Amino acid sequence: STTFVRTKVTLPDLKYDYAALEPAISGKIMELHHSKHHQTYVNSYNDAADKLSAASNTGDVVAQIALQPLINFHGGGHINHTLFWENLAPKNSGGGAPPSGELSKQIDSTFGSLEEVKKKFNTALAGIQGSGWAWLVKDTQTGGIGIKTYANQDPVVGQFKPLLGVDAWEHAYYLQYNNRKAEYFTAIWDVINWKAAEERFAKA
Amino acid sequence: MSTTMLRNSTLLRSALRSAVPTTTRVAAFSSSAPIKAQATLPDLPYDYGALEPAISGQIMELHHSKHHQTYVTNYNAARTKMADALQSGDIATAIATQPAINFNGGGNINHTLFWENLAPKSQGGGEPPSGPLAKSIDDHYGSLEKLKEVFNTQLAGIQGSGWCWLVQDNETGALQVKTYANQDPVVGRWHPLLGVDAWEHAYYLQYENKKVEYFKNIWSVINWKTAEKRMK
């Protein structure tokens, strides 16, 4: 049988200061979100992955399956937040600047316009019942793009590839926007890094 | 900031029990349906600031007047849509409306029960249970402290938004601690005795990411008398 060894995941650094996304997202939120919430997903994923490795090495199938929700939740949380920080940027680093190239063409042909995709995206965000994310995704079956919501920390895997995500968990906005989440969904477009989405689209 | 409006506990109205008086009889098949079926936001039997320091007045005000109100409003809209769809035989729309009924109706039920199982210390909040419930807790969990441990471990384990409830099995009378996702209400085989809201809006302004502290502190304003009354 094969013994699996793995390296720990680590919290990625942000490419910008905590306060750099203001006024769309407050520095206080960014600091808590990155250094507490995301850090916890990293720590908890490492813990769960260690346990999974151990169970795998002893052939304990029951334990491996019992660990799956923790891997999904914390591993997904780590993946989602890592992608999120990359698809945000301060205005002086391109945040809010509209997409160009192939992705822009796809947006126009699929949704009609950038404004239309934002509208549909925000409607999807507003419709999330509980915690979750909305993603612009690429469908690997058709090559086309679409908007999908994912519950809790379920990551974008399988048929779809993540292009651009927005965190709709209350911790992502509550200190600044309270219950007025529609305001947050509107404001965040000012700091969306379309360049990251274009790069992902090219690779997907 | 907490409201200074005084709440008379005898004026407590539960959205589940209240019947809004109406002077007109609405035709059975009208899409607005009997007004009695509309949900309304129940008053709290205590001030917004009365549960401090466990839960801040700012949270209580937002939680009650914004979050719970939104569930009430959206439930009423969904109920009308459902009634119309059933009326016209549009089964697809009726089914498509089910998640909105579940989410908003559940949100209304859950929060209504929540406000009732919280109380300021001056109204018994935090006082341990007595009678049959106390005995049942000891039988099932060994002690009240052990129950709180089990309860808080489950609260901490919620992945996303949800609630933790002490429930009673309708068939056997046994107690259990169960978590429910999002706003799924306690229905069917169990009925709810006591719930704690683990959605981030329930604590974030005060506790931020330190939810374990919130779970610990809320026991000082838990109204066990209400749980005792809910026991069958």
Side-chain angles (χ1 to χ4, degrees), chain A residues 28 37 73 129-131 152 169-171 174 179, chain B residues 67 103 159-161 182 199-201 204 208:
Chain A
K28 183 164 181 193
H37 290 273
F73 184 62
Q129 295 184 345
S131 302
N152 305 321
W169 279 62
E170 287 173 331
H171 64 241
Y174 208 86
N179 60 300
Chain B
H67 289 272
F103 184 63
Q159 296 184 347
S161 301
N182 305 320
W199 280 62
E200 287 173 332
H201 65 242
Y204 208 86
E208 295 171 350

mmCIF file with all atom_site columns, all heavy atoms in Angstrom, chain A residues 28 37 73 129-131 152 169-171 174 179, chain B residues 67 103 159-161 182 199-201 204 208:
data_model
loop_
_atom_site.group_PDB
_atom_site.id
_atom_site.type_symbol
_atom_site.label_atom_id
_atom_site.label_alt_id
_atom_site.label_comp_id
_atom_site.label_asym_id
_atom_site.label_entity_id
_atom_site.label_seq_id
_atom_site.pdbx_PDB_ins_code
_atom_site.Cartn_x
_atom_site.Cartn_y
_atom_site.Cartn_z
_atom_site.occupancy
_atom_site.B_iso_or_equiv
_atom_site.pdbx_formal_charge
_atom_site.auth_seq_id
_atom_site.auth_comp_id
_atom_site.auth_asym_id
_atom_site.auth_atom_id
_atom_site.pdbx_PDB_model_num
ATOM 1   N N   . LYS A 1 28  ? -11.205 47.018 8.452  1.00 0.00 ? 28  LYS A N   1
ATOM 2   C CA  . LYS A 1 28  ? -11.492 46.177 9.618  1.00 0.00 ? 28  LYS A CA  1
ATOM 3   C C   . LYS A 1 28  ? -12.020 44.819 9.163  1.00 0.00 ? 28  LYS A C   1
ATOM 4   O O   . LYS A 1 28  ? -11.604 43.770 9.675  1.00 0.00 ? 28  LYS A O   1
ATOM 5   C CB  . LYS A 1 28  ? -12.520 46.880 10.505 1.00 0.00 ? 28  LYS A CB  1
ATOM 6   C CG  . LYS A 1 28  ? -12.836 46.122 11.762 1.00 0.00 ? 28  LYS A CG  1
ATOM 7   C CD  . LYS A 1 28  ? -13.537 46.992 12.801 1.00 0.00 ? 28  LYS A CD  1
ATOM 8   C CE  . LYS A 1 28  ? -13.782 46.141 14.051 1.00 0.00 ? 28  LYS A CE  1
ATOM 9   N NZ  . LYS A 1 28  ? -14.706 46.782 14.987 1.00 0.00 ? 28  LYS A NZ  1
ATOM 10  N N   . HIS A 1 37  ? -10.792 34.558 9.808  1.00 0.00 ? 37  HIS A N   1
ATOM 11  C CA  . HIS A 1 37  ? -11.653 33.585 9.142  1.00 0.00 ? 37  HIS A CA  1
ATOM 12  C C   . HIS A 1 37  ? -10.863 32.674 8.208  1.00 0.00 ? 37  HIS A C   1
ATOM 13  O O   . HIS A 1 37  ? -10.925 31.452 8.299  1.00 0.00 ? 37  HIS A O   1
ATOM 14  C CB  . HIS A 1 37  ? -12.792 34.290 8.395  1.00 0.00 ? 37  HIS A CB  1
ATOM 15  C CG  . HIS A 1 37  ? -13.811 34.903 9.303  1.00 0.00 ? 37  HIS A CG  1
ATOM 16  N ND1 . HIS A 1 37  ? -14.892 34.219 9.792  1.00 0.00 ? 37  HIS A ND1 1
ATOM 17  C CD2 . HIS A 1 37  ? -13.883 36.147 9.836  1.00 0.00 ? 37  HIS A CD2 1
ATOM 18  C CE1 . HIS A 1 37  ? -15.606 35.015 10.577 1.00 0.00 ? 37  HIS A CE1 1
ATOM 19  N NE2 . HIS A 1 37  ? -15.014 36.188 10.622 1.00 0.00 ? 37  HIS A NE2 1
ATOM 20  N N   . PHE A 1 73  ? -15.517 21.502 3.842  1.00 0.00 ? 73  PHE A N   1
ATOM 21  C CA  . PHE A 1 73  ? -15.811 22.811 4.400  1.00 0.00 ? 73  PHE A CA  1
ATOM 22  C C   . PHE A 1 73  ? -14.550 23.669 4.539  1.00 0.00 ? 73  PHE A C   1
ATOM 23  O O   . PHE A 1 73  ? -14.495 24.798 4.058  1.00 0.00 ? 73  PHE A O   1
ATOM 24  C CB  . PHE A 1 73  ? -16.495 22.647 5.760  1.00 0.00 ? 73  PHE A CB  1
ATOM 25  C CG  . PHE A 1 73  ? -16.944 23.934 6.400  1.00 0.00 ? 73  PHE A CG  1
ATOM 26  C CD1 . PHE A 1 73  ? -17.888 24.734 5.769  1.00 0.00 ? 73  PHE A CD1 1
ATOM 27  C CD2 . PHE A 1 73  ? -16.427 24.345 7.613  1.00 0.00 ? 73  PHE A CD2 1
ATOM 28  C CE1 . PHE A 1 73  ? -18.314 25.928 6.361  1.00 0.00 ? 73  PHE A CE1 1
ATOM 29  C CE2 . PHE A 1 73  ? -16.847 25.531 8.208  1.00 0.00 ? 73  PHE A CE2 1
ATOM 30  C CZ  . PHE A 1 73  ? -17.789 26.322 7.580  1.00 0.00 ? 73  PHE A CZ  1
ATOM 31  N N   . GLN A 1 129 ? -29.793 31.578 0.300  1.00 0.00 ? 129 GLN A N   1
ATOM 32  C CA  . GLN A 1 129 ? -30.527 31.364 1.562  1.00 0.00 ? 129 GLN A CA  1
ATOM 33  C C   . GLN A 1 129 ? -29.573 30.787 2.597  1.00 0.00 ? 129 GLN A C   1
ATOM 34  O O   . GLN A 1 129 ? -29.441 29.578 2.757  1.00 0.00 ? 129 GLN A O   1
ATOM 35  C CB  . GLN A 1 129 ? -31.706 30.424 1.329  1.00 0.00 ? 129 GLN A CB  1
ATOM 36  C CG  . GLN A 1 129 ? -32.754 31.012 0.420  1.00 0.00 ? 129 GLN A CG  1
ATOM 37  C CD  . GLN A 1 129 ? -33.974 30.110 0.261  1.00 0.00 ? 129 GLN A CD  1
ATOM 38  O OE1 . GLN A 1 129 ? -33.943 28.931 0.601  1.00 0.00 ? 129 GLN A OE1 1
ATOM 39  N NE2 . GLN A 1 129 ? -35.056 30.658 -0.276 1.00 0.00 ? 129 GLN A NE2 1
ATOM 40  N N   . GLY A 1 130 ? -28.923 31.666 3.335  1.00 0.00 ? 130 GLY A N   1
ATOM 41  C CA  . GLY A 1 130 ? -27.948 31.214 4.314  1.00 0.00 ? 130 GLY A CA  1
ATOM 42  C C   . GLY A 1 130 ? -26.588 31.755 3.916  1.00 0.00 ? 130 GLY A C   1
ATOM 43  O O   . GLY A 1 130 ? -26.471 32.869 3.408  1.00 0.00 ? 130 GLY A O   1
ATOM 44  N N   . SER A 1 131 ? -25.541 30.960 4.122  1.00 0.00 ? 131 SER A N   1
ATOM 45  C CA  . SER A 1 131 ? -24.185 31.383 3.756  1.00 0.00 ? 131 SER A CA  1
ATOM 46  C C   . SER A 1 131 ? -23.821 30.800 2.398  1.00 0.00 ? 131 SER A C   1
ATOM 47  O O   . SER A 1 131 ? -24.255 29.699 2.058  1.00 0.00 ? 131 SER A O   1
ATOM 48  C CB  . SER A 1 131 ? -23.179 30.881 4.793  1.00 0.00 ? 131 SER A CB  1
ATOM 49  O OG  . SER A 1 131 ? -23.498 31.366 6.074  1.00 0.00 ? 131 SER A OG  1
ATOM 50  N N   . ASN A 1 152 ? -22.526 27.526 1.539  1.00 0.00 ? 152 ASN A N   1
ATOM 51  C CA  . ASN A 1 152 ? -21.507 27.421 2.597  1.00 0.00 ? 152 ASN A CA  1
ATOM 52  C C   . ASN A 1 152 ? -20.102 27.625 2.025  1.00 0.00 ? 152 ASN A C   1
ATOM 53  O O   . ASN A 1 152 ? -19.804 28.692 1.533  1.00 0.00 ? 152 ASN A O   1
ATOM 54  C CB  . ASN A 1 152 ? -21.686 26.106 3.344  1.00 0.00 ? 152 ASN A CB  1
ATOM 55  C CG  . ASN A 1 152 ? -23.106 25.971 3.869  1.00 0.00 ? 152 ASN A CG  1
ATOM 56  O OD1 . ASN A 1 152 ? -23.706 26.940 4.326  1.00 0.00 ? 152 ASN A OD1 1
ATOM 57  N ND2 . ASN A 1 152 ? -23.666 24.784 3.758  1.00 0.00 ? 152 ASN A ND2 1
ATOM 58  N N   . TRP A 1 169 ? -21.181 35.427 2.658  1.00 0.00 ? 169 TRP A N   1
ATOM 59  C CA  . TRP A 1 169 ? -21.299 35.152 4.095  1.00 0.00 ? 169 TRP A CA  1
ATOM 60  C C   . TRP A 1 169 ? -21.426 36.500 4.824  1.00 0.00 ? 169 TRP A C   1
ATOM 61  O O   . TRP A 1 169 ? -20.826 37.498 4.423  1.00 0.00 ? 169 TRP A O   1
ATOM 62  C CB  . TRP A 1 169 ? -20.044 34.431 4.610  1.00 0.00 ? 169 TRP A CB  1
ATOM 63  C CG  . TRP A 1 169 ? -19.991 32.959 4.354  1.00 0.00 ? 169 TRP A CG  1
ATOM 64  C CD1 . TRP A 1 169 ? -19.974 32.320 3.147  1.00 0.00 ? 169 TRP A CD1 1
ATOM 65  C CD2 . TRP A 1 169 ? -19.880 31.933 5.341  1.00 0.00 ? 169 TRP A CD2 1
ATOM 66  N NE1 . TRP A 1 169 ? -19.882 30.967 3.333  1.00 0.00 ? 169 TRP A NE1 1
ATOM 67  C CE2 . TRP A 1 169 ? -19.812 30.693 4.671  1.00 0.00 ? 169 TRP A CE2 1
ATOM 68  C CE3 . TRP A 1 169 ? -19.823 31.935 6.740  1.00 0.00 ? 169 TRP A CE3 1
ATOM 69  C CZ2 . TRP A 1 169 ? -19.704 29.469 5.340  1.00 0.00 ? 169 TRP A CZ2 1
ATOM 70  C CZ3 . TRP A 1 169 ? -19.702 30.722 7.413  1.00 0.00 ? 169 TRP A CZ3 1
ATOM 71  C CH2 . TRP A 1 169 ? -19.648 29.508 6.710  1.00 0.00 ? 169 TRP A CH2 1
ATOM 72  N N   . GLU A 1 170 ? -22.176 36.520 5.900  1.00 0.00 ? 170 GLU A N   1
ATOM 73  C CA  . GLU A 1 170 ? -22.400 37.778 6.617  1.00 0.00 ? 170 GLU A CA  1
ATOM 74  C C   . GLU A 1 170 ? -21.094 38.378 7.133  1.00 0.00 ? 170 GLU A C   1
ATOM 75  O O   . GLU A 1 170 ? -20.947 39.601 7.193  1.00 0.00 ? 170 GLU A O   1
ATOM 76  C CB  . GLU A 1 170 ? -23.427 37.576 7.740  1.00 0.00 ? 170 GLU A CB  1
ATOM 77  C CG  . GLU A 1 170 ? -24.848 37.412 7.183  1.00 0.00 ? 170 GLU A CG  1
ATOM 78  C CD  . GLU A 1 170 ? -25.883 37.033 8.234  1.00 0.00 ? 170 GLU A CD  1
ATOM 79  O OE1 . GLU A 1 170 ? -25.539 36.384 9.236  1.00 0.00 ? 170 GLU A OE1 1
ATOM 80  O OE2 . GLU A 1 170 ? -27.066 37.386 8.030  1.00 0.00 ? 170 GLU A OE2 1
ATOM 81  N N   . HIS A 1 171 ? -20.114 37.525 7.476  1.00 0.00 ? 171 HIS A N   1
ATOM 82  C CA  . HIS A 1 171 ? -18.858 38.092 7.992  1.00 0.00 ? 171 HIS A CA  1
ATOM 83  C C   . HIS A 1 171 ? -18.146 38.926 6.926  1.00 0.00 ? 171 HIS A C   1
ATOM 84  O O   . HIS A 1 171 ? -17.289 39.727 7.248  1.00 0.00 ? 171 HIS A O   1
ATOM 85  C CB  . HIS A 1 171 ? -17.914 37.012 8.544  1.00 0.00 ? 171 HIS A CB  1
ATOM 86  C CG  . HIS A 1 171 ? -17.407 36.026 7.511  1.00 0.00 ? 171 HIS A CG  1
ATOM 87  N ND1 . HIS A 1 171 ? -17.664 34.699 7.581  1.00 0.00 ? 171 HIS A ND1 1
ATOM 88  C CD2 . HIS A 1 171 ? -16.636 36.201 6.409  1.00 0.00 ? 171 HIS A CD2 1
ATOM 89  C CE1 . HIS A 1 171 ? -17.081 34.075 6.569  1.00 0.00 ? 171 HIS A CE1 1
ATOM 90  N NE2 . HIS A 1 171 ? -16.444 34.979 5.845  1.00 0.00 ? 171 HIS A NE2 1
ATOM 91  N N   . TYR A 1 174 ? -20.915 42.409 7.257  1.00 0.00 ? 174 TYR A N   1
ATOM 92  C CA  . TYR A 1 174 ? -21.842 42.841 8.298  1.00 0.00 ? 174 TYR A CA  1
ATOM 93  C C   . TYR A 1 174 ? -21.354 44.026 9.126  1.00 0.00 ? 174 TYR A C   1
ATOM 94  O O   . TYR A 1 174 ? -22.138 44.904 9.473  1.00 0.00 ? 174 TYR A O   1
ATOM 95  C CB  . TYR A 1 174 ? -22.241 41.673 9.210  1.00 0.00 ? 174 TYR A CB  1
ATOM 96  C CG  . TYR A 1 174 ? -23.615 41.869 9.802  1.00 0.00 ? 174 TYR A CG  1
ATOM 97  C CD1 . TYR A 1 174 ? -24.759 41.462 9.113  1.00 0.00 ? 174 TYR A CD1 1
ATOM 98  C CD2 . TYR A 1 174 ? -23.803 42.507 11.033 1.00 0.00 ? 174 TYR A CD2 1
ATOM 99  C CE1 . TYR A 1 174 ? -26.031 41.665 9.620  1.00 0.00 ? 174 TYR A CE1 1
ATOM 100 C CE2 . TYR A 1 174 ? -25.073 42.714 11.547 1.00 0.00 ? 174 TYR A CE2 1
ATOM 101 C CZ  . TYR A 1 174 ? -26.181 42.298 10.844 1.00 0.00 ? 174 TYR A CZ  1
ATOM 102 O OH  . TYR A 1 174 ? -27.448 42.505 11.347 1.00 0.00 ? 174 TYR A OH  1
ATOM 103 N N   . ASN A 1 179 ? -27.353 44.677 7.831  1.00 0.00 ? 179 ASN A N   1
ATOM 104 C CA  . ASN A 1 179 ? -28.238 43.820 7.058  1.00 0.00 ? 179 ASN A CA  1
ATOM 105 C C   . ASN A 1 179 ? -28.375 44.271 5.600  1.00 0.00 ? 179 ASN A C   1
ATOM 106 O O   . ASN A 1 179 ? -28.977 43.567 4.794  1.00 0.00 ? 179 ASN A O   1
ATOM 107 C CB  . ASN A 1 179 ? -29.628 43.819 7.691  1.00 0.00 ? 179 ASN A CB  1
ATOM 108 C CG  . ASN A 1 179 ? -30.229 45.214 7.737  1.00 0.00 ? 179 ASN A CG  1
ATOM 109 O OD1 . ASN A 1 179 ? -29.659 46.115 8.347  1.00 0.00 ? 179 ASN A OD1 1
ATOM 110 N ND2 . ASN A 1 179 ? -31.345 45.430 7.070  1.00 0.00 ? 179 ASN A ND2 1
ATOM 111 N N   . HIS B 2 67  ? -33.914 41.904 10.330 1.00 0.00 ? 67  HIS B N   1
ATOM 112 C CA  . HIS B 2 67  ? -33.813 40.525 9.852  1.00 0.00 ? 67  HIS B CA  1
ATOM 113 C C   . HIS B 2 67  ? -35.133 39.790 9.994  1.00 0.00 ? 67  HIS B C   1
ATOM 114 O O   . HIS B 2 67  ? -35.648 39.224 9.031  1.00 0.00 ? 67  HIS B O   1
ATOM 115 C CB  . HIS B 2 67  ? -32.689 39.782 10.578 1.00 0.00 ? 67  HIS B CB  1
ATOM 116 C CG  . HIS B 2 67  ? -31.320 40.238 10.188 1.00 0.00 ? 67  HIS B CG  1
ATOM 117 N ND1 . HIS B 2 67  ? -30.633 39.706 9.118  1.00 0.00 ? 67  HIS B ND1 1
ATOM 118 C CD2 . HIS B 2 67  ? -30.515 41.194 10.708 1.00 0.00 ? 67  HIS B CD2 1
ATOM 119 C CE1 . HIS B 2 67  ? -29.459 40.309 9.011  1.00 0.00 ? 67  HIS B CE1 1
ATOM 120 N NE2 . HIS B 2 67  ? -29.363 41.213 9.959  1.00 0.00 ? 67  HIS B NE2 1
ATOM 121 N N   . PHE B 2 103 ? -37.707 28.890 3.706  1.00 0.00 ? 103 PHE B N   1
ATOM 122 C CA  . PHE B 2 103 ? -36.693 29.795 4.224  1.00 0.00 ? 103 PHE B CA  1
ATOM 123 C C   . PHE B 2 103 ? -37.310 30.927 5.036  1.00 0.00 ? 103 PHE B C   1
ATOM 124 O O   . PHE B 2 103 ? -36.915 31.180 6.177  1.00 0.00 ? 103 PHE B O   1
ATOM 125 C CB  . PHE B 2 103 ? -35.873 30.349 3.054  1.00 0.00 ? 103 PHE B CB  1
ATOM 126 C CG  . PHE B 2 103 ? -34.729 31.220 3.465  1.00 0.00 ? 103 PHE B CG  1
ATOM 127 C CD1 . PHE B 2 103 ? -33.686 30.709 4.217  1.00 0.00 ? 103 PHE B CD1 1
ATOM 128 C CD2 . PHE B 2 103 ? -34.681 32.554 3.087  1.00 0.00 ? 103 PHE B CD2 1
ATOM 129 C CE1 . PHE B 2 103 ? -32.615 31.511 4.597  1.00 0.00 ? 103 PHE B CE1 1
ATOM 130 C CE2 . PHE B 2 103 ? -33.616 33.370 3.461  1.00 0.00 ? 103 PHE B CE2 1
ATOM 131 C CZ  . PHE B 2 103 ? -32.577 32.834 4.211  1.00 0.00 ? 103 PHE B CZ  1
ATOM 132 N N   . GLN B 2 159 ? -21.646 24.321 9.889  1.00 0.00 ? 159 GLN B N   1
ATOM 133 C CA  . GLN B 2 159 ? -20.840 24.750 8.735  1.00 0.00 ? 159 GLN B CA  1
ATOM 134 C C   . GLN B 2 159 ? -21.678 25.674 7.859  1.00 0.00 ? 159 GLN B C   1
ATOM 135 O O   . GLN B 2 159 ? -22.330 25.249 6.912  1.00 0.00 ? 159 GLN B O   1
ATOM 136 C CB  . GLN B 2 159 ? -20.363 23.535 7.936  1.00 0.00 ? 159 GLN B CB  1
ATOM 137 C CG  . GLN B 2 159 ? -19.421 22.633 8.742  1.00 0.00 ? 159 GLN B CG  1
ATOM 138 C CD  . GLN B 2 159 ? -18.877 21.479 7.916  1.00 0.00 ? 159 GLN B CD  1
ATOM 139 O OE1 . GLN B 2 159 ? -19.365 21.201 6.833  1.00 0.00 ? 159 GLN B OE1 1
ATOM 140 N NE2 . GLN B 2 159 ? -17.864 20.805 8.433  1.00 0.00 ? 159 GLN B NE2 1
ATOM 141 N N   . GLY B 2 160 ? -21.639 26.964 8.158  1.00 0.00 ? 160 GLY B N   1
ATOM 142 C CA  . GLY B 2 160 ? -22.458 27.920 7.435  1.00 0.00 ? 160 GLY B CA  1
ATOM 143 C C   . GLY B 2 160 ? -23.423 28.555 8.406  1.00 0.00 ? 160 GLY B C   1
ATOM 144 O O   . GLY B 2 160 ? -23.076 28.801 9.563  1.00 0.00 ? 160 GLY B O   1
ATOM 145 N N   . SER B 2 161 ? -24.637 28.807 7.956  1.00 0.00 ? 161 SER B N   1
ATOM 146 C CA  . SER B 2 161 ? -25.647 29.423 8.816  1.00 0.00 ? 161 SER B CA  1
ATOM 147 C C   . SER B 2 161 ? -26.560 28.348 9.369  1.00 0.00 ? 161 SER B C   1
ATOM 148 O O   . SER B 2 161 ? -26.827 27.348 8.691  1.00 0.00 ? 161 SER B O   1
ATOM 149 C CB  . SER B 2 161 ? -26.490 30.420 8.015  1.00 0.00 ? 161 SER B CB  1
ATOM 150 O OG  . SER B 2 161 ? -25.683 31.426 7.472  1.00 0.00 ? 161 SER B OG  1
ATOM 151 N N   . ASN B 2 182 ? -29.475 26.737 7.897  1.00 0.00 ? 182 ASN B N   1
ATOM 152 C CA  . ASN B 2 182 ? -30.123 27.946 7.375  1.00 0.00 ? 182 ASN B CA  1
ATOM 153 C C   . ASN B 2 182 ? -31.339 28.314 8.230  1.00 0.00 ? 182 ASN B C   1
ATOM 154 O O   . ASN B 2 182 ? -31.170 28.636 9.387  1.00 0.00 ? 182 ASN B O   1
ATOM 155 C CB  . ASN B 2 182 ? -30.428 27.752 5.896  1.00 0.00 ? 182 ASN B CB  1
ATOM 156 C CG  . ASN B 2 182 ? -29.173 27.388 5.121  1.00 0.00 ? 182 ASN B CG  1
ATOM 157 O OD1 . ASN B 2 182 ? -28.106 27.940 5.368  1.00 0.00 ? 182 ASN B OD1 1
ATOM 158 N ND2 . ASN B 2 182 ? -29.277 26.433 4.226  1.00 0.00 ? 182 ASN B ND2 1
ATOM 159 N N   . TRP B 2 199 ? -26.475 32.086 13.164 1.00 0.00 ? 199 TRP B N   1
ATOM 160 C CA  . TRP B 2 199 ? -26.159 32.923 12.000 1.00 0.00 ? 199 TRP B CA  1
ATOM 161 C C   . TRP B 2 199 ? -25.225 34.052 12.468 1.00 0.00 ? 199 TRP B C   1
ATOM 162 O O   . TRP B 2 199 ? -25.352 34.553 13.582 1.00 0.00 ? 199 TRP B O   1
ATOM 163 C CB  . TRP B 2 199 ? -27.438 33.561 11.429 1.00 0.00 ? 199 TRP B CB  1
ATOM 164 C CG  . TRP B 2 199 ? -28.265 32.689 10.554 1.00 0.00 ? 199 TRP B CG  1
ATOM 165 C CD1 . TRP B 2 199 ? -28.879 31.519 10.896 1.00 0.00 ? 199 TRP B CD1 1
ATOM 166 C CD2 . TRP B 2 199 ? -28.617 32.948 9.198  1.00 0.00 ? 199 TRP B CD2 1
ATOM 167 N NE1 . TRP B 2 199 ? -29.596 31.030 9.811  1.00 0.00 ? 199 TRP B NE1 1
ATOM 168 C CE2 . TRP B 2 199 ? -29.457 31.893 8.763  1.00 0.00 ? 199 TRP B CE2 1
ATOM 169 C CE3 . TRP B 2 199 ? -28.332 33.976 8.297  1.00 0.00 ? 199 TRP B CE3 1
ATOM 170 C CZ2 . TRP B 2 199 ? -29.985 31.828 7.467  1.00 0.00 ? 199 TRP B CZ2 1
ATOM 171 C CZ3 . TRP B 2 199 ? -28.864 33.916 7.013  1.00 0.00 ? 199 TRP B CZ3 1
ATOM 172 C CH2 . TRP B 2 199 ? -29.677 32.852 6.608  1.00 0.00 ? 199 TRP B CH2 1
ATOM 173 N N   . GLU B 2 200 ? -24.315 34.475 11.584 1.00 0.00 ? 200 GLU B N   1
ATOM 174 C CA  . GLU B 2 200 ? -23.349 35.503 11.970 1.00 0.00 ? 200 GLU B CA  1
ATOM 175 C C   . GLU B 2 200 ? -24.028 36.807 12.389 1.00 0.00 ? 200 GLU B C   1
ATOM 176 O O   . GLU B 2 200 ? -23.542 37.514 13.271 1.00 0.00 ? 200 GLU B O   1
ATOM 177 C CB  . GLU B 2 200 ? -22.320 35.709 10.848 1.00 0.00 ? 200 GLU B CB  1
ATOM 178 C CG  . GLU B 2 200 ? -21.330 34.541 10.774 1.00 0.00 ? 200 GLU B CG  1
ATOM 179 C CD  . GLU B 2 200 ? -20.390 34.595 9.576  1.00 0.00 ? 200 GLU B CD  1
ATOM 180 O OE1 . GLU B 2 200 ? -20.765 35.160 8.534  1.00 0.00 ? 200 GLU B OE1 1
ATOM 181 O OE2 . GLU B 2 200 ? -19.275 34.058 9.689  1.00 0.00 ? 200 GLU B OE2 1
ATOM 182 N N   . HIS B 2 201 ? -25.182 37.124 11.783 1.00 0.00 ? 201 HIS B N   1
ATOM 183 C CA  . HIS B 2 201 ? -25.840 38.378 12.148 1.00 0.00 ? 201 HIS B CA  1
ATOM 184 C C   . HIS B 2 201 ? -26.290 38.370 13.612 1.00 0.00 ? 201 HIS B C   1
ATOM 185 O O   . HIS B 2 201 ? -26.535 39.421 14.186 1.00 0.00 ? 201 HIS B O   1
ATOM 186 C CB  . HIS B 2 201 ? -27.028 38.700 11.228 1.00 0.00 ? 201 HIS B CB  1
ATOM 187 C CG  . HIS B 2 201 ? -28.175 37.741 11.314 1.00 0.00 ? 201 HIS B CG  1
ATOM 188 N ND1 . HIS B 2 201 ? -28.604 36.986 10.249 1.00 0.00 ? 201 HIS B ND1 1
ATOM 189 C CD2 . HIS B 2 201 ? -29.015 37.407 12.336 1.00 0.00 ? 201 HIS B CD2 1
ATOM 190 C CE1 . HIS B 2 201 ? -29.635 36.245 10.602 1.00 0.00 ? 201 HIS B CE1 1
ATOM 191 N NE2 . HIS B 2 201 ? -29.901 36.482 11.871 1.00 0.00 ? 201 HIS B NE2 1
ATOM 192 N N   . TYR B 2 204 ? -22.188 38.966 15.256 1.00 0.00 ? 204 TYR B N   1
ATOM 193 C CA  . TYR B 2 204 ? -20.939 39.473 14.680 1.00 0.00 ? 204 TYR B CA  1
ATOM 194 C C   . TYR B 2 204 ? -20.573 40.883 15.100 1.00 0.00 ? 204 TYR B C   1
ATOM 195 O O   . TYR B 2 204 ? -19.401 41.183 15.329 1.00 0.00 ? 204 TYR B O   1
ATOM 196 C CB  . TYR B 2 204 ? -20.960 39.363 13.146 1.00 0.00 ? 204 TYR B CB  1
ATOM 197 C CG  . TYR B 2 204 ? -19.573 39.209 12.577 1.00 0.00 ? 204 TYR B CG  1
ATOM 198 C CD1 . TYR B 2 204 ? -18.990 37.952 12.468 1.00 0.00 ? 204 TYR B CD1 1
ATOM 199 C CD2 . TYR B 2 204 ? -18.816 40.318 12.192 1.00 0.00 ? 204 TYR B CD2 1
ATOM 200 C CE1 . TYR B 2 204 ? -17.705 37.793 11.975 1.00 0.00 ? 204 TYR B CE1 1
ATOM 201 C CE2 . TYR B 2 204 ? -17.525 40.169 11.708 1.00 0.00 ? 204 TYR B CE2 1
ATOM 202 C CZ  . TYR B 2 204 ? -16.972 38.897 11.590 1.00 0.00 ? 204 TYR B CZ  1
ATOM 203 O OH  . TYR B 2 204 ? -15.687 38.739 11.119 1.00 0.00 ? 204 TYR B OH  1
ATOM 204 N N   . GLU B 2 208 ? -17.646 39.525 16.746 1.00 0.00 ? 208 GLU B N   1
ATOM 205 C CA  . GLU B 2 208 ? -16.878 39.301 15.505 1.00 0.00 ? 208 GLU B CA  1
ATOM 206 C C   . GLU B 2 208 ? -16.725 37.805 15.275 1.00 0.00 ? 208 GLU B C   1
ATOM 207 O O   . GLU B 2 208 ? -17.690 37.074 15.382 1.00 0.00 ? 208 GLU B O   1
ATOM 208 C CB  . GLU B 2 208 ? -15.561 40.070 15.576 1.00 0.00 ? 208 GLU B CB  1
ATOM 209 C CG  . GLU B 2 208 ? -15.811 41.570 15.606 1.00 0.00 ? 208 GLU B CG  1
ATOM 210 C CD  . GLU B 2 208 ? -14.584 42.412 15.894 1.00 0.00 ? 208 GLU B CD  1
ATOM 211 O OE1 . GLU B 2 208 ? -13.532 41.861 16.271 1.00 0.00 ? 208 GLU B OE1 1
ATOM 212 O OE2 . GLU B 2 208 ? -14.700 43.632 15.737 1.00 0.00 ? 208 GLU B OE2 1
#
